[in-house]
Amino acid sequence: MEQRRRVGAYGVCRGPGGRVLLARGSASGPFPGVWQLPGGGLEHAEHPAHAVVREFAEETGLAVEVTGLRAVLADVTTFRDAGVAVHTDRLVFDITTRGGEPRPEPAGGSDGLAWFSTAEAATVPLMPFAADLLGLPVSPLPPDLPRSPVAGPASTPPADRRQRFGAYGLVIDPAGRVLLTMIADGYPGAGRWHLPGGGTDHGEQPVAALLRELVEESGQLGRMVELIGVESLHNPAALGPEGRPIDWHGIQAVYRVAVDVPTEARVTELAGGSTARAAWFAPEQLAGLPLTEIASFALAAGPTGDRP
């Protein structure tokens, strides 16, 4: 079965009485009649926070503002007739409205909008990720849906374009030291200190991927503390091991991770990986280190500070 990846941004929008706005899938979409949080796939090089604002304008007619990142999760939908399994990484934001009147998306993927209380949402078919975020039991989708894979981001990208979702950690030990990894030669950012983490595998949840990468890159056993934020990195001429330019778009979820029993940091993944070495750094040792963008972003939050 063909495996595809896509990244989507969605919004939790509360209205009168705390009701949440949901959109119903249209007959032309992959999940007709199923309700979900408004949102959709990222365009290449688009920041997820910008994507959810655009998607809300297109899908609901509302002008919205992002107020926070609520959750990052993943799921896989199998379209057996098409022989395709689509892994979707979903970034869910809290949003507030700034104007506009709700209306369904003209000739688009949704044909209805409504405000639901939690009890009311429990009475309609829900996408599993939406049910989970609303604190409702997650039920399988109806088996008789005339589903077909979504177009666009789930399709195979051009050979010189890549969109990659990854999970990374601001990893701290009880002494307040920060764990960083150095990018190996031949990879974008070679020689710079980076956050532990990396791309998720097909079907893998972000936190599970991060904790796996932490073991492979440093030999440490970690514990997820909280979600810090998400960054988007676009490099239109990245040079990787292939030796040719790639239009690279990385979407990076960042978590705060605790290592309660630290050990000497050692790279354990097989030779030829993207990590050259790993090391613990006291806070005073961080100044002047050559850092990647995502490492600078995470360190700005501080080991115990507020989310950026």
Side-chain angles (χ1 to χ4, degrees):
M1 182 167 288
E2 180 187 352
Q3 296 182 344
R4 297 183 186 175
R5 298 288 298 258
R6 69 193 300 266
V7 182
Y10 304 84
V12 176
C13 181
R14 297 284 180 180
R19 283 176 162 81
V20 65
L21 184 64
L22 298 178
R24 183 179 60 198
S26 69
S28 62
F31 307 107
V34 179
W35 294 84
Q36 69 168 17
L37 298 172
L42 269 64
E43 296 178 355
H44 190 71
E46 187 177 35
H47 193 289
H50 300 159
V52 74
V53 171
R54 173 184 55 78
E55 285 283 346
F56 254 78
E58 295 172 359
E59 191 171 353
T60 73
L62 295 174
V64 301
E65 178 182 337
V66 171
T67 58
L69 179 62
R70 175 178 286 258
V72 180
L73 60 161
D75 53 67
V76 176
T77 303
T78 301
F79 301 92
R80 297 196 181 280
D81 291 345
V84 174
V86 180
H87 171 121
T88 304
D89 295 295
R90 304 184 191 271
L91 298 109
V92 184
F93 295 89
D94 289 313
I95 62 168
T96 185
T97 57
R98 292 299 184 213
E101 292 294 330
R103 52 95 181 126
E105 184 176 8
S110 62
D111 61 8
L113 294 172
W115 297 96
F116 287 84
S117 67
T118 301
E120 291 165 342
T123 67
V124 299
L126 288 173
M127 287 291 289
F129 85 96
D132 185 37
L133 285 162
L134 294 176
L136 293 170
V138 176
S139 302
L141 291 170
D144 57 346
L145 283 179
R147 299 182 296 174
S148 59
V150 290
S155 302
T156 303
D160 61 348
R161 178 179 289 182
R162 293 287 186 275
Q163 189 179 73
R164 181 174 183 258
F165 177 85
Y168 296 84
L170 177 59
V171 180
I172 311 294
D173 76 355
R177 296 184 302 170
V178 177
L179 181 70
L180 297 175
T181 59
M182 179 175 283
I183 299 175
D185 290 343
Y187 289 86
R192 298 168 73 185
W193 289 99
H194 195 33
L195 296 181
T200 62
D201 292 336
H202 195 276
E204 191 174 34
Q205 290 292 333
V207 171
L210 170 55
L211 298 182
R212 171 183 56 76
E213 290 277 355
L214 182 59
V215 171
E216 294 175 358
E217 295 182 341
S218 67
Q220 309 300 305
L221 297 178
R223 171 175 55 84
M224 197 277 284
V225 176
E226 64 175 339
L227 177 63
I228 295 176
V230 61
E231 275 289 87
S232 177
L233 175 64
H234 179 222
N235 186 343
L239 284 175
E242 300 89 350
R244 59 180 175 81
I246 294 176
D247 187 354
W248 183 264
H249 179 207
I251 303 100
Q252 302 158 326
V254 184
Y255 299 83
R256 202 180 313 276
V257 175
V259 171
D260 298 318
V261 184
T263 61
E264 182 182 354
R266 294 177 179 270
V267 180
T268 65
E269 63 185 342
L270 297 176
S274 61
T275 303
R277 54 181 293 214
W280 289 101
F281 292 91
E284 63 271 15
Q285 296 175 309
L286 296 171
L289 287 179
L291 300 173
T292 61
E293 291 88 345
I294 193 66
S296 296
F297 165 80
L299 288 169
T304 59
D306 294 334
R307 299 179 185 183

